[in-house]
Amino acid sequence: MSQKVAVLGTGKIGEALLSGMIRAGWAPADLLVTARRPERAEELRARYGVTPVSNTEAAKTADTLILTVKPQDMGTLLDELAPHVPADRLIISGAAGIPTSFFEERLAAGTPVVRVMTNTPALVDEAMSVISAGSHATEQHLAHAEEIFGGVGKTLRVPESQQDACTALSGSGPAYFFYLVEAMTDAGILLGLPRDKAHDLIVQSAIGAAVMLRDSGEHPVRLRENVTSPAGTTINAIRELENHGVRAALIAALEAARDRSRELASGKKD
């Protein structure tokens, strides 16, 4: 962990990654950060003891550059970095929809690039980070990316061709669960419960169900059937979900998210 790592564009996800690395044993002296606003950079220095630098300085001095800016800002950032990034620097991109070829075409020939799609549970060390290698990334580069993102959750390697699907499932995934909890909370209120009690009931049920899915090894159908007794309350609720096409709507929603990820890769903004 003696290599210097720079997080460029340190927003919420970048800060979560930074704090996770420190908890995992990285020395703050080996971590550099850049931010759009000087006051944000100083806030990170005060909070974590890391060193704020310019994008150019990060490119010249860090062994690994983690780019966490928004996809629409990535081209401008690469234009700034390109003259200063040697071909032996590892570039890790956290931008949705942007393929590794986008970076390889704009940086020195042979520059290793690793693409990572993480998600907002990085803020509580429960992220799902999906990692793919560019044309010049080696096993060592992938292992280094896993070491970094393993500090904020679980990692999974996939071929880059599957990144758009992973973006739809896990990158955007937390939002679907928040949406579901919101709808179930409204239902609880309709059924006569106070909002805070409905919220607590649903959140704990979601946590328990997720732990069972993770730890039991059972198929979700089997776990659902264990709750679904003949002519009971649950089967009546499931029937209504099926009548309203919830399963089909979820499939269509994830396809739409995947398609939007592909559009971002092609440069389409609207």
Side-chain angles (χ1 to χ4, degrees):
M1 295 187 182
S2 60
Q3 288 193 340
K4 285 196 176 294
V5 175
V7 181
L8 281 68
T10 314
K12 288 185 178 180
I13 291 294
E15 182 178 355
L17 183 59
L18 191 71
S19 62
M21 291 175 68
I22 292 172
R23 288 191 299 276
W26 292 80
D30 292 329
L31 301 176
L32 311 176
V33 296
T34 77
R36 187 187 299 271
R37 297 178 290 107
E39 58 270 28
R40 169 62 173 165
E42 288 305 315
E43 176 185 308
L44 293 168
R45 183 207 296 271
R47 187 173 296 165
Y48 301 106
V50 297
T51 304
V53 295
S54 66
N55 290 331
T56 299
E57 187 177 352
K60 291 178 179 178
T61 59
D63 301 289
T64 300
L65 303 177
I66 305 174
L67 312 185
T68 62
V69 301
K70 295 178 180 179
Q72 59 267 32
D73 297 329
M74 192 62 77
T76 301
L77 177 62
L78 290 177
D79 288 343
E80 182 182 357
L81 297 178
H84 310 289
V85 178
D88 63 349
R89 294 286 190 269
L90 172 59
I91 305 297
I92 298 178
S93 166
I98 300 183
T100 55
S101 59
F102 181 90
F103 301 87
E104 293 167 349
E105 291 165 0
R106 288 162 174 78
L107 299 173
T111 300
V113 181
V114 172
R115 178 176 171 182
V116 181
M117 169 49 60
T118 192
N119 57 17
T120 55
L123 295 166
V124 292
D125 291 346
E126 292 290 349
M128 182 70 251
S129 300
V130 184
I131 297 174
S132 302
S135 301
H136 310 294
T138 65
E139 169 63 30
Q140 183 178 3
H141 295 130
L142 288 170
H144 187 49
E146 287 173 333
E147 179 185 27
I148 291 171
F149 282 84
V152 292
K154 186 176 180 180
T155 64
L156 177 70
R157 295 188 194 184
V158 300
E160 188 170 11
S161 61
Q162 295 177 0
Q163 275 280 356
D164 291 325
C166 292
T167 297
L169 263 71
S170 66
S172 300
Y176 314 146
F177 289 100
F178 299 147
Y179 181 86
L180 180 61
V181 168
E182 177 189 359
M184 291 178 69
T185 301
D186 287 344
I189 294 168
L190 180 65
L191 296 173
L193 291 170
R195 177 175 294 276
D196 59 341
K197 287 185 171 57
H199 176 83
D200 289 347
L201 287 166
I202 294 160
V203 170
Q204 184 56 39
S205 296
I207 292 170
V211 171
M212 290 180 70
L213 279 168
R214 184 191 64 191
D215 296 346
S216 69
E218 294 281 1
H219 193 281
V221 170
R222 175 63 62 84
L223 293 175
R224 178 180 60 77
E225 287 176 344
N226 289 342
V227 188
T228 310
S229 55
T233 59
T234 305
I235 192 60
N236 274 274
I238 296 295
R239 181 185 63 183
E240 288 303 312
L241 292 173
E242 294 292 349
N243 287 343
H244 286 81
V246 172
R247 187 186 304 266
L250 282 171
I251 293 171
L254 268 65
E255 286 179 331
R258 178 208 57 196
D259 294 345
R260 181 55 180 158
S261 182
R262 290 174 176 174
E263 289 174 353
L264 289 172
S266 69
K268 185 176 180 180
K269 299 221 170 46
D270 298 319

Short mmCIF file of all heavy atoms in Angstrom, two decimals, residues 233-257:
data_model
loop_
_atom_site.label_atom_id
_atom_site.label_comp_id
_atom_site.label_asym_id
_atom_site.label_seq_id
_atom_site.Cartn_x
_atom_site.Cartn_y
_atom_site.Cartn_z
N THR A 233 -52.56 -14.53 3.19
CA THR A 233 -52.44 -13.11 2.85
C THR A 233 -51.39 -12.87 1.76
O THR A 233 -51.60 -12.06 0.86
CB THR A 233 -52.04 -12.32 4.11
OG1 THR A 233 -50.80 -12.82 4.62
CG2 THR A 233 -53.11 -12.43 5.18
N THR A 234 -50.27 -13.59 1.85
CA THR A 234 -49.17 -13.33 0.93
C THR A 234 -49.54 -13.68 -0.50
O THR A 234 -49.24 -12.92 -1.43
CB THR A 234 -47.92 -14.12 1.35
OG1 THR A 234 -47.61 -13.80 2.71
CG2 THR A 234 -46.74 -13.76 0.47
N ILE A 235 -50.19 -14.83 -0.72
CA ILE A 235 -50.53 -15.24 -2.08
C ILE A 235 -51.52 -14.27 -2.70
O ILE A 235 -51.50 -14.02 -3.92
CB ILE A 235 -51.06 -16.69 -2.13
CG1 ILE A 235 -51.12 -17.18 -3.58
CG2 ILE A 235 -52.41 -16.81 -1.44
CD1 ILE A 235 -49.79 -17.18 -4.29
N ASN A 236 -52.39 -13.68 -1.88
CA ASN A 236 -53.31 -12.67 -2.41
C ASN A 236 -52.56 -11.42 -2.86
O ASN A 236 -52.88 -10.82 -3.88
CB ASN A 236 -54.38 -12.33 -1.36
CG ASN A 236 -55.56 -13.28 -1.38
OD1 ASN A 236 -56.50 -13.09 -2.14
ND2 ASN A 236 -55.49 -14.32 -0.58
N ALA A 237 -51.55 -11.03 -2.08
CA ALA A 237 -50.73 -9.89 -2.48
C ALA A 237 -49.94 -10.19 -3.75
O ALA A 237 -49.85 -9.36 -4.67
CB ALA A 237 -49.78 -9.51 -1.34
N ILE A 238 -49.34 -11.40 -3.83
CA ILE A 238 -48.57 -11.79 -5.01
C ILE A 238 -49.46 -11.79 -6.26
O ILE A 238 -49.05 -11.35 -7.34
CB ILE A 238 -47.94 -13.18 -4.81
CG1 ILE A 238 -46.92 -13.15 -3.66
CG2 ILE A 238 -47.29 -13.67 -6.09
CD1 ILE A 238 -45.71 -12.29 -3.92
N ARG A 239 -50.69 -12.26 -6.10
CA ARG A 239 -51.63 -12.26 -7.24
C ARG A 239 -51.84 -10.86 -7.77
O ARG A 239 -51.85 -10.63 -8.99
CB ARG A 239 -52.97 -12.88 -6.82
CG ARG A 239 -53.99 -12.93 -7.96
CD ARG A 239 -55.33 -13.42 -7.49
NE ARG A 239 -55.92 -12.53 -6.49
CZ ARG A 239 -57.08 -12.78 -5.88
NH1 ARG A 239 -57.76 -13.89 -6.13
NH2 ARG A 239 -57.55 -11.93 -4.98
N GLU A 240 -51.99 -9.89 -6.86
CA GLU A 240 -52.20 -8.52 -7.31
C GLU A 240 -50.95 -7.97 -8.01
O GLU A 240 -51.04 -7.22 -8.99
CB GLU A 240 -52.58 -7.63 -6.12
CG GLU A 240 -53.98 -7.86 -5.61
CD GLU A 240 -55.02 -7.67 -6.71
OE1 GLU A 240 -54.95 -6.64 -7.42
OE2 GLU A 240 -55.88 -8.56 -6.88
N LEU A 241 -49.76 -8.30 -7.48
CA LEU A 241 -48.53 -7.87 -8.15
C LEU A 241 -48.46 -8.42 -9.56
O LEU A 241 -48.08 -7.71 -10.51
CB LEU A 241 -47.31 -8.31 -7.33
CG LEU A 241 -47.11 -7.64 -5.98
CD1 LEU A 241 -45.96 -8.31 -5.21
CD2 LEU A 241 -46.81 -6.14 -6.15
N GLU A 242 -48.83 -9.69 -9.73
CA GLU A 242 -48.82 -10.29 -11.06
C GLU A 242 -49.90 -9.66 -11.95
O GLU A 242 -49.68 -9.40 -13.14
CB GLU A 242 -49.02 -11.81 -10.96
CG GLU A 242 -47.89 -12.54 -10.28
CD GLU A 242 -46.59 -12.54 -11.09
OE1 GLU A 242 -46.62 -12.15 -12.28
OE2 GLU A 242 -45.54 -12.92 -10.53
N ASN A 243 -51.09 -9.43 -11.39
CA ASN A 243 -52.17 -8.81 -12.17
C ASN A 243 -51.78 -7.44 -12.70
O ASN A 243 -52.21 -7.02 -13.78
CB ASN A 243 -53.44 -8.69 -11.32
CG ASN A 243 -54.12 -10.02 -11.10
OD1 ASN A 243 -53.85 -11.00 -11.80
ND2 ASN A 243 -55.01 -10.09 -10.10
N HIS A 244 -50.96 -6.71 -11.93
CA HIS A 244 -50.55 -5.38 -12.33
C HIS A 244 -49.23 -5.37 -13.11
O HIS A 244 -48.69 -4.30 -13.40
CB HIS A 244 -50.42 -4.48 -11.09
CG HIS A 244 -51.74 -4.07 -10.52
ND1 HIS A 244 -52.48 -4.88 -9.70
CD2 HIS A 244 -52.47 -2.93 -10.67
CE1 HIS A 244 -53.61 -4.26 -9.35
NE2 HIS A 244 -53.63 -3.08 -9.93
N GLY A 245 -48.73 -6.53 -13.44
CA GLY A 245 -47.56 -6.62 -14.32
C GLY A 245 -46.27 -6.12 -13.69
O GLY A 245 -45.41 -5.59 -14.40
N VAL A 246 -46.11 -6.29 -12.37
CA VAL A 246 -44.93 -5.78 -11.70
C VAL A 246 -43.66 -6.46 -12.21
O VAL A 246 -42.64 -5.81 -12.45
CB VAL A 246 -45.05 -5.94 -10.18
CG1 VAL A 246 -43.74 -5.59 -9.48
CG2 VAL A 246 -46.18 -5.05 -9.66
N ARG A 247 -43.70 -7.77 -12.41
CA ARG A 247 -42.52 -8.48 -12.91
C ARG A 247 -42.11 -7.95 -14.29
O ARG A 247 -40.94 -7.67 -14.54
CB ARG A 247 -42.81 -9.99 -12.98
CG ARG A 247 -41.59 -10.83 -13.33
CD ARG A 247 -42.02 -12.29 -13.53
NE ARG A 247 -42.72 -12.81 -12.37
CZ ARG A 247 -42.12 -13.49 -11.40
NH1 ARG A 247 -40.82 -13.72 -11.47
NH2 ARG A 247 -42.82 -13.95 -10.38
N ALA A 248 -43.08 -7.82 -15.19
CA ALA A 248 -42.79 -7.32 -16.54
C ALA A 248 -42.28 -5.88 -16.50
O ALA A 248 -41.39 -5.50 -17.26
CB ALA A 248 -44.04 -7.41 -17.42
N ALA A 249 -42.85 -5.09 -15.59
CA ALA A 249 -42.40 -3.69 -15.46
C ALA A 249 -40.95 -3.62 -15.00
O ALA A 249 -40.17 -2.78 -15.47
CB ALA A 249 -43.31 -2.94 -14.49
N LEU A 250 -40.56 -4.49 -14.07
CA LEU A 250 -39.18 -4.49 -13.60
C LEU A 250 -38.22 -4.88 -14.72
O LEU A 250 -37.16 -4.26 -14.89
CB LEU A 250 -39.03 -5.47 -12.43
CG LEU A 250 -39.53 -4.98 -11.08
CD1 LEU A 250 -39.54 -6.12 -10.07
CD2 LEU A 250 -38.67 -3.83 -10.58
N ILE A 251 -38.60 -5.89 -15.50
CA ILE A 251 -37.74 -6.30 -16.62
C ILE A 251 -37.60 -5.14 -17.62
O ILE A 251 -36.49 -4.83 -18.08
CB ILE A 251 -38.32 -7.55 -17.30
CG1 ILE A 251 -38.22 -8.74 -16.34
CG2 ILE A 251 -37.58 -7.84 -18.61
CD1 ILE A 251 -38.95 -9.98 -16.84
N ALA A 252 -38.71 -4.49 -17.94
CA ALA A 252 -38.67 -3.36 -18.87
C ALA A 252 -37.84 -2.21 -18.31
O ALA A 252 -37.10 -1.55 -19.05
CB ALA A 252 -40.09 -2.88 -19.18
N ALA A 253 -37.94 -1.96 -17.00
CA ALA A 253 -37.18 -0.88 -16.38
C ALA A 253 -35.68 -1.14 -16.47
O ALA A 253 -34.89 -0.23 -16.80
CB ALA A 253 -37.60 -0.72 -14.92
N LEU A 254 -35.26 -2.36 -16.20
CA LEU A 254 -33.84 -2.67 -16.26
C LEU A 254 -33.31 -2.64 -17.69
O LEU A 254 -32.17 -2.22 -17.94
CB LEU A 254 -33.56 -4.04 -15.62
CG LEU A 254 -33.21 -3.95 -14.13
CD1 LEU A 254 -34.38 -3.44 -13.31
CD2 LEU A 254 -32.75 -5.30 -13.58
N GLU A 255 -34.15 -3.04 -18.64
CA GLU A 255 -33.75 -2.92 -20.04
C GLU A 255 -33.57 -1.45 -20.42
O GLU A 255 -32.63 -1.09 -21.15
CB GLU A 255 -34.80 -3.56 -20.95
CG GLU A 255 -34.78 -5.09 -20.91
CD GLU A 255 -35.85 -5.70 -21.80
OE1 GLU A 255 -36.91 -5.05 -21.99
OE2 GLU A 255 -35.64 -6.82 -22.29
N ALA A 256 -34.44 -0.58 -19.90
CA ALA A 256 -34.33 0.85 -20.19
C ALA A 256 -33.05 1.43 -19.60
O ALA A 256 -32.38 2.26 -20.22
CB ALA A 256 -35.56 1.59 -19.64
N ALA A 257 -32.70 1.00 -18.38
CA ALA A 257 -31.47 1.46 -17.76
C ALA A 257 -30.25 0.99 -18.55
O ALA A 257 -29.30 1.74 -18.77
CB ALA A 257 -31.39 0.96 -16.32
#
